[in-house]
Protein backbone atom coordinates (compact mmCIF):
# COMPACT_ATOMS: atom_id res chain seq x y z
CA UNK A 1 0.00 0.00 0.00
CA UNK A 2 1.44 3.36 -1.02
CA UNK A 3 1.60 6.33 1.32
CA UNK A 4 -1.09 8.07 -0.72
CA UNK A 5 -3.39 5.04 -0.38
CA UNK A 6 -2.75 4.95 3.35
CA UNK A 7 -3.58 8.63 3.67
CA UNK A 8 -6.79 8.23 1.65
CA UNK A 9 -7.97 5.38 3.88
CA UNK A 10 -7.08 7.23 7.09
CA UNK A 11 -8.92 10.38 6.07
CA UNK A 12 -12.00 8.45 4.93
CA UNK A 13 -12.22 6.22 8.03
CA UNK A 14 -11.61 9.02 10.51
CA UNK A 15 -14.28 11.15 8.85
CA UNK A 16 -16.70 8.25 9.32
CA UNK A 17 -15.73 7.82 12.96
CA UNK A 18 -15.69 11.52 13.82
CA UNK A 19 -18.04 13.49 11.56
CA UNK A 20 -18.00 16.30 14.10
CA UNK A 21 -14.75 17.86 15.37
CA UNK A 22 -15.47 19.89 18.51
CA UNK A 23 -12.50 21.83 19.89
CA UNK A 24 -11.36 19.94 23.02
CA UNK A 25 -10.37 23.06 25.00
CA UNK A 26 -13.17 25.17 26.46
CA UNK A 27 -12.93 28.82 25.41
CA UNK A 28 -15.05 31.78 24.39
CA UNK A 29 -12.77 33.74 22.04
CA UNK A 30 -9.25 33.71 20.51
CA UNK A 31 -7.68 35.05 23.70
CA UNK A 32 -9.13 32.41 26.03
CA UNK A 33 -8.25 29.75 23.45
CA UNK A 34 -4.66 31.01 23.30
CA UNK A 35 -4.35 30.83 27.09
CA UNK A 36 -5.95 27.37 27.22
CA UNK A 37 -3.63 26.00 24.53
CA UNK A 38 -0.62 27.44 26.33
CA UNK A 39 -1.74 25.69 29.54
CA UNK A 40 -2.20 22.38 27.70
CA UNK A 41 1.54 21.93 27.15
CA UNK A 42 2.49 18.70 28.95
CA UNK A 43 -1.00 18.61 30.44
CA UNK A 44 -4.27 16.96 29.44
CA UNK A 45 -7.10 18.97 27.92
CA UNK A 46 -9.38 17.56 30.62
CA UNK A 47 -7.28 19.07 33.37
CA UNK A 48 -7.01 22.40 31.55
CA UNK A 49 -10.79 22.53 31.26
CA UNK A 50 -11.02 22.04 35.02
CA UNK A 51 -8.64 24.93 35.67
CA UNK A 52 -9.68 27.59 33.17
CA UNK A 53 -13.15 28.39 34.59
CA UNK A 54 -11.55 29.82 37.75
CA UNK A 55 -8.82 31.55 35.74
CA UNK A 56 -11.23 33.18 33.32
CA UNK A 57 -13.59 34.13 36.13
CA UNK A 58 -10.69 36.13 37.54
CA UNK A 59 -9.57 37.52 34.17
CA UNK A 60 -10.82 36.67 30.68
CA UNK A 61 -9.27 39.54 28.71
CA UNK A 62 -5.69 40.71 28.19
CA UNK A 63 -6.55 43.94 30.02
CA UNK A 64 -7.78 42.13 33.13
CA UNK A 65 -5.06 39.45 33.06
CA UNK A 66 -2.27 42.02 32.78
CA UNK A 67 -3.44 43.55 36.06
CA UNK A 68 -3.04 40.25 37.90
CA UNK A 69 0.25 39.24 39.46
CA UNK A 70 2.16 36.18 38.32
CA UNK A 71 1.56 34.75 41.79
CA UNK A 72 -2.23 35.09 41.47
CA UNK A 73 -2.20 33.40 38.07
CA UNK A 74 0.19 30.72 39.27
CA UNK A 75 -2.05 29.81 42.20
CA UNK A 76 -4.88 28.93 39.83
CA UNK A 77 -2.92 27.21 37.04
CA UNK A 78 -0.67 25.15 39.33
CA UNK A 79 -2.50 21.86 38.59
CA UNK A 80 -1.50 22.16 34.92
CA UNK A 81 2.20 21.67 35.61
CA UNK A 82 5.06 24.01 34.77
CA UNK A 83 2.82 26.58 36.45
CA UNK A 84 5.35 29.34 37.29
CA UNK A 85 6.57 29.47 33.69
CA UNK A 86 3.06 29.34 32.27
CA UNK A 87 1.78 32.00 34.68
CA UNK A 88 4.61 34.33 33.71
CA UNK A 89 3.95 33.69 30.01
CA UNK A 90 0.21 34.37 30.37
CA UNK A 91 0.80 37.68 32.11
CA UNK A 92 3.62 38.61 29.71
CA UNK A 93 1.71 37.87 26.51
CA UNK A 94 -1.33 39.73 27.86
CA UNK A 95 0.76 42.88 28.28
CA UNK A 96 2.22 42.48 24.78
CA UNK A 97 -1.24 42.07 23.27
CA UNK A 98 -2.24 45.37 24.86
CA UNK A 99 0.96 47.23 23.99
CA UNK A 100 1.53 45.91 20.46
CA UNK A 101 -1.74 44.47 19.14
CA UNK A 102 -4.51 46.67 20.47
CA UNK A 103 -5.56 44.01 22.96
CA UNK A 104 -6.32 41.51 20.18
CA UNK A 105 -4.75 38.14 19.42
CA UNK A 106 -2.66 38.53 16.24
CA UNK A 107 -3.60 36.55 13.15
CA UNK A 108 -0.17 35.57 11.82
CA UNK A 109 2.15 32.73 12.78
CA UNK A 110 5.09 35.09 13.13
CA UNK A 111 3.34 37.42 15.58
CA UNK A 112 1.88 34.57 17.61
CA UNK A 113 5.19 32.75 17.89
CA UNK A 114 6.81 35.97 19.12
CA UNK A 115 4.60 35.88 22.23
CA UNK A 116 5.99 34.41 25.49
CA UNK A 117 5.26 30.70 25.86
CA UNK A 118 3.86 30.36 22.34
CA UNK A 119 5.61 27.94 20.04
CA UNK A 120 4.74 26.77 16.55
CA UNK A 121 2.27 24.12 17.72
CA UNK A 122 0.35 26.55 19.94
CA UNK A 123 0.30 29.14 17.16
CA UNK A 124 -0.95 26.51 14.71
CA UNK A 125 -3.82 25.51 17.00
CA UNK A 126 -4.89 29.14 17.42
CA UNK A 127 -4.62 29.89 13.71
CA UNK A 128 -6.63 26.78 12.83
CA UNK A 129 -9.26 26.79 15.54
CA UNK A 130 -9.71 30.51 16.22
CA UNK A 131 -9.19 31.97 12.76
CA UNK A 132 -9.87 29.06 10.38
CA UNK A 133 -6.44 29.26 8.75
CA UNK A 134 -5.27 25.90 7.40
CA UNK A 135 -2.68 24.42 9.75
CA UNK A 136 -1.63 20.97 10.95
CA UNK A 137 -0.56 21.15 14.62
CA UNK A 138 1.37 18.00 15.56
CA UNK A 139 1.00 16.78 19.13
CA UNK A 140 2.22 13.52 20.67
CA UNK A 141 -0.78 11.55 19.35
CA UNK A 142 -0.35 12.74 15.77
CA UNK A 143 3.42 12.21 15.93
CA UNK A 144 2.89 8.63 17.13
CA UNK A 145 0.16 7.72 14.67
CA UNK A 146 1.93 9.27 11.68
CA UNK A 147 4.78 6.85 12.31
CA UNK A 148 2.56 3.83 13.08
CA UNK A 149 0.53 4.39 9.94
CA UNK A 150 3.69 4.96 7.86
CA UNK A 151 2.55 8.41 6.81
CA UNK A 152 5.91 9.80 7.90
CA UNK A 153 9.30 8.18 8.35
CA UNK A 154 9.74 6.57 11.75
CA UNK A 155 11.89 8.62 14.09
CA UNK A 156 11.22 11.85 12.24
CA UNK A 157 10.93 15.14 14.09
CA UNK A 158 7.69 16.99 14.74
CA UNK A 159 8.67 19.39 11.95
CA UNK A 160 9.25 16.49 9.55
CA UNK A 161 5.89 14.91 10.43
CA UNK A 162 4.07 18.21 9.90
CA UNK A 163 5.62 18.62 6.45
CA UNK A 164 4.84 15.04 5.46
CA UNK A 165 1.20 15.25 6.58
CA UNK A 166 0.68 18.56 4.82
CA UNK A 167 2.09 17.03 1.66
CA UNK A 168 -0.17 13.94 1.56
CA UNK A 169 -3.48 15.39 2.83
CA UNK A 170 -5.46 18.11 1.03
CA UNK A 171 -5.18 21.50 2.70
CA UNK A 172 -8.93 21.73 3.07
CA UNK A 173 -8.86 18.75 5.44
CA UNK A 174 -6.06 19.83 7.77
CA UNK A 175 -8.01 21.64 10.48
CA UNK A 176 -10.56 18.88 11.02
CA UNK A 177 -8.18 15.99 10.33
CA UNK A 178 -5.63 16.92 12.98
CA UNK A 179 -8.44 16.81 15.57
CA UNK A 180 -9.74 13.50 14.24
CA UNK A 181 -6.30 11.92 14.53
CA UNK A 182 -6.04 13.19 18.12
CA UNK A 183 -9.49 11.79 19.00
CA UNK A 184 -8.55 8.40 17.53
CA UNK A 185 -5.16 8.37 19.24
CA UNK A 186 -6.77 9.01 22.62
CA UNK A 187 -9.56 6.48 22.23
CA UNK A 188 -8.14 3.61 20.16
CA UNK A 189 -4.46 3.88 19.28
CA UNK A 190 -2.88 4.88 22.57
CA UNK A 191 0.83 4.78 23.30
CA UNK A 192 0.56 1.50 25.23
CA UNK A 193 -2.81 0.21 24.07
CA UNK A 194 -1.76 -0.49 20.49
CA UNK A 195 1.48 -1.89 19.14
CA UNK A 196 0.83 -0.76 15.59
CA UNK A 197 -1.16 -3.93 14.80
CA UNK A 198 -4.01 -3.94 17.33
CA UNK A 199 -6.49 -1.14 16.61
CA UNK A 200 -8.79 -1.09 13.59
CA UNK A 201 -6.79 1.32 11.44
CA UNK A 202 -3.43 -0.22 12.31
CA UNK A 203 -4.76 -3.67 11.42
CA UNK A 204 -6.02 -2.44 8.07
CA UNK A 205 -2.79 -0.62 7.22
CA UNK A 206 -0.20 -2.92 8.77
CA UNK A 207 -1.91 -6.30 9.19
CA UNK A 208 -1.61 -8.49 12.29
CA UNK A 209 1.70 -8.62 14.11
CA UNK A 210 4.04 -11.32 12.91
CA UNK A 211 5.00 -13.96 15.45
CA UNK A 212 8.73 -14.20 15.89
CA UNK A 213 9.87 -17.70 16.67
CA UNK A 214 13.19 -18.09 18.34
CA UNK A 215 15.21 -21.13 17.67
CA UNK A 216 16.52 -22.73 20.80
CA UNK A 217 20.00 -24.06 20.33
CA UNK A 218 20.43 -27.63 21.39
CA UNK A 219 22.90 -28.19 24.12
CA UNK A 220 25.41 -30.88 23.47
Amino acid sequence: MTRAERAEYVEHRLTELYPETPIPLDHTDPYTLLVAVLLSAQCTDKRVNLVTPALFAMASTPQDMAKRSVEEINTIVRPCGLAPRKAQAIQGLSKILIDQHGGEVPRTFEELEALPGVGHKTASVVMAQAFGVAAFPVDTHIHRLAHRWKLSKKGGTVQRVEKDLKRIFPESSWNALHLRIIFYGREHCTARGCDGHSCEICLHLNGPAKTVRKRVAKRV
Side-chain angles (χ1 to χ4, degrees):
M1 188 179 295
T2 67
R3 186 177 293 186
E5 291 171 335
R6 288 172 174 272
E8 183 179 3
Y9 171 78
V10 165
E11 183 179 1
H12 176 73
R13 187 66 186 115
L14 289 180
T15 301
E16 290 181 332
L17 290 171
Y18 306 104
E20 303 295 328
T21 54
I23 298 173
L25 292 168
D26 296 338
H27 66 286
T28 57
D29 55 25
Y31 175 72
T32 52
L33 176 62
L34 173 61
V35 172
V37 177
L38 188 154
L39 289 173
S40 70
Q42 299 185 37
C43 180
T44 64
D45 292 347
K46 182 178 179 179
R47 184 175 294 276
V48 172
N49 288 338
L50 292 174
V51 167
T52 49
L55 179 65
F56 296 147
M58 179 184 74
S60 61
T61 66
Q63 292 80 2
D64 289 339
M65 195 71 77
K67 296 175 185 176
R68 300 294 180 173
S69 68
V70 173
E71 291 72 22
E72 287 179 288
I73 300 171
N74 181 61
T75 298
I76 296 176
V77 305
R78 186 175 291 118
C80 292
L82 303 176
R85 188 184 307 169
K86 291 177 180 178
Q88 189 170 13
I90 290 170
Q91 188 204 54
L93 70 82
S94 298
K95 291 181 177 179
I96 292 174
L97 293 182
I98 296 168
D99 295 340
Q100 300 181 19
H101 302 286
E104 300 292 331
V105 175
R107 294 172 175 251
T108 69
F109 284 95
E110 293 76 16
E111 290 173 312
L112 282 169
E113 292 178 33
L115 297 173
V118 178
H120 181 66
K121 179 202 158 191
T122 297
S124 295
V125 172
V126 173
M127 292 294 287
Q129 298 177 359
F131 303 131
V133 176
F136 214 123
V138 175
D139 73 344
T140 55
H141 298 289
I142 294 176
H143 192 261
R144 178 178 71 252
L145 269 56
H147 293 154
R148 282 184 179 173
W149 295 344
K150 299 183 174 75
L151 301 176
S152 185
K153 188 176 180 180
K154 188 174 181 180
T157 64
V158 169
Q159 294 77 14
R160 181 71 263 170
V161 169
E162 180 180 349
K163 289 181 180 179
D164 288 341
L165 296 181
K166 284 183 174 180
R167 185 180 297 113
I168 59 177
F169 290 110
E171 186 173 327
S172 59
S173 73
W174 294 353
N175 289 358
L177 184 59
H178 96 268
L179 288 172
R180 289 178 174 132
I181 296 175
I182 291 172
F183 297 159
Y184 189 85
R186 289 174 176 173
E187 296 178 13
H188 303 288
C189 197
T190 61
R192 297 182 181 179
C194 180
D195 60 359
H197 300 274
S198 303
C199 75
E200 175 193 344
I201 292 181
C202 284
L203 274 171
H204 181 86
L205 296 179
N206 304 327
K210 296 180 180 179
T211 303
V212 179
R213 296 181 179 179
K214 296 182 180 180
R215 294 181 179 179
V216 180
K218 294 181 179 181
R219 293 183 179 179
V220 179

